[in-house]
Amino acid sequence: MVKSSAIRAALTMVSVAALILATTSVASAQPDEDGAVSSADGARDASQHGGTAGHLPATQSNVDLISKLKMKNAVPEKIADVGVFKDYAYLAAWGAVTCTYNGVHVVDIKDPAKPKEVAFIQAKEGSYPGEGIQALRIDTPAFTGDVLVSNNEKCKDKVGFGGMNLYDVTNPAHPTPLAEGVGDSTVNGQGKKAANETHSVFAWDAGDKAYAVIVDNEEGTDVDIMDITNPKKPFLTAEYDLDKTFPQILQSAPANLTEVFLHDLVVKQIAGKQVMLLSYWDAGYVSVDMTDVQKPIYLGDTDFTNPDPQLQEAAGLIEKPEGNGHQGEFTLDNRYVIGADEDFAPNGAEGSTDDTATAFQISQGSNTPQLQGGESLTGDAVYAGRACAGDPLVVPAPNTTSGRQVAVVTRGLCTFTEKVASVEAAGGYEGIVIVNREGSDGCGAFGMSVDGSIPTFSVDRKTGFGLFDRAALYDNAACLAGAGSLIPGVSLGDIGDVVSVRAFFDGWGYVHLFDNSTGKMAELDTYAIPEAEDPAFAQGFGDLSVHEVATSKQRADLAYFSYYSGGFRVAKIVDNKLVETGRFIDQGGNNIWGVQVFESNGIEYVAASDRDSGLYIFRYTGG
């Protein structure tokens, strides 16, 4: 099983319609230089809060809005995750849209009705936090106090930090750095000047020891355990590639569940054990006993039900599950696992050719015309080389008298947008298929940040060979070790197979309910907002995917969800089913990333982070 080499599920600067990732080891959380992206943990619709279009209408049921606070210097898409500890909320100022004023907002919420920003922790230049903002108490022989942890991804590659940060927030209004940019500083055994980029972090106090686990963006061994017993001198103590350590977490079918990588995790003490719940793309939700971080013990895991159960139940459609295990939590009584399955591509796509009945994976470009569910495109494959300006291999004009034609271009040398522009300049092509290049971060399936006026798709390199009947000559090991772009043995203008692409509606991301048992956990139910399973809401209403779940600290049957443009949602577990019992969308829409439960004077509240503004505080009033 190989790992994804496109970007992890980190929010991207564009509305990425395709969630297929490239294989091999994991890369950074921003588009590659040519615009390759991954599952796009926050693909945006730029019109989301514009006028009366681009979002769902305001709604409210069994939820009181206690307060809301716009963060200083907040601009659309600037706010990411939220964490709460004691009387303070911590909100990440995300940096992939604007690489300025990145860091963590500190908000006094002693009075939930009157939140007040009291401090801002500036991130290192070129770095930004996103997921996993968390504060906790550490009490070890080396340190006693409150510590905030945050992750580092980069918006300036040469100056940005990777790794994780630790801050002393014993006095939250005056946070003090303890360590910044610490983590795994090797890639495939080679030394680096800085720690690998990380997508998320979670810390826990284990008595005389304290640990943090970080999601490594750059290696297949993506579970990195940091010893933070002395948070001024943290160090890497263990790292794991859990699908190799515990191969039973893998799923053999359907065939699309192959891009296995870690997205997020939590640790909870259960029956005296430190149990880690890990959320994996294409491998599901995995529970591991991490009481001894040097000897992890498999407890249980989930599979993605095929066909997709939520789509089948809500819309009567039969499609494969996408398997985007994003984030999960245990319920208060530990009886259930609730998993958020994020999906920003309500329209899936698959390709086929005239000489094989087997469909292949294909991904639609971000900002090129999208095929909607039920639409298709067909044309003869015409090899067009790299399609870069100044390249001696000039894109040939299509022979439109022989029928529709699709330009097949290889990745490399220039950006995807430049390639599309070159094909557009040639005129007459129905669509563009971009084939992955060679390299340790190439070869596999990938998504694209790309602009253009022609439908544009991406495929893995072996599929690209197959479009010209050369799949038998493809060698994956040679591809990973190579540095080429062009398809060998194929000349400019060569005609290949007839390529067909069909789009199908497969819904937005939704929620899973699992029985928290050992071995394979049984899936009990799924839940989605109604609009997420309705093709009429596939575009024009913002992102209607779930993002995170937070379980109640007072009730074992209650869970809260951040649902991006679907707002804030509340569900009860009734007879092993998830039943929506509360909702809130503000006037003008919401764009909610994070949810975190907290208590004040015995009352349970939920802090939520709106990506375009800042902090919302809710109270559920239903039964």
Side-chain angles (χ1 to χ4, degrees), residues 61-76:
S61 176
N62 290 335
V63 172
D64 282 348
L65 173 62
I66 304 301
S67 61
K68 58 182 177 180
L69 178 66
K70 183 176 176 64
M71 298 293 99
K72 295 177 182 177
N73 294 316
V75 297

Side-chain angles (χ1 to χ4, degrees), residues 529-588:
I529 63 174
E531 296 88 350
E533 306 303 319
D534 186 342
F537 292 87
Q539 59 180 341
F541 296 90
D543 296 316
L544 302 182
S545 174
V546 70
H547 187 246
E548 292 184 357
V549 55
T551 51
S552 172
K553 295 180 181 294
Q554 296 183 348
R555 295 175 51 172
D557 66 343
L558 203 61
Y560 307 99
F561 302 99
S562 54
Y563 229 101
Y564 286 109
S565 296
F568 173 67
R569 303 285 168 146
V570 187
K572 284 176 59 177
I573 303 172
V574 181
D575 297 330
N576 290 338
K577 301 290 184 181
L578 287 166
V579 179
E580 182 179 303
T581 55
R583 63 184 183 275
F584 179 91
I585 300 177
D586 209 349
Q587 294 293 331

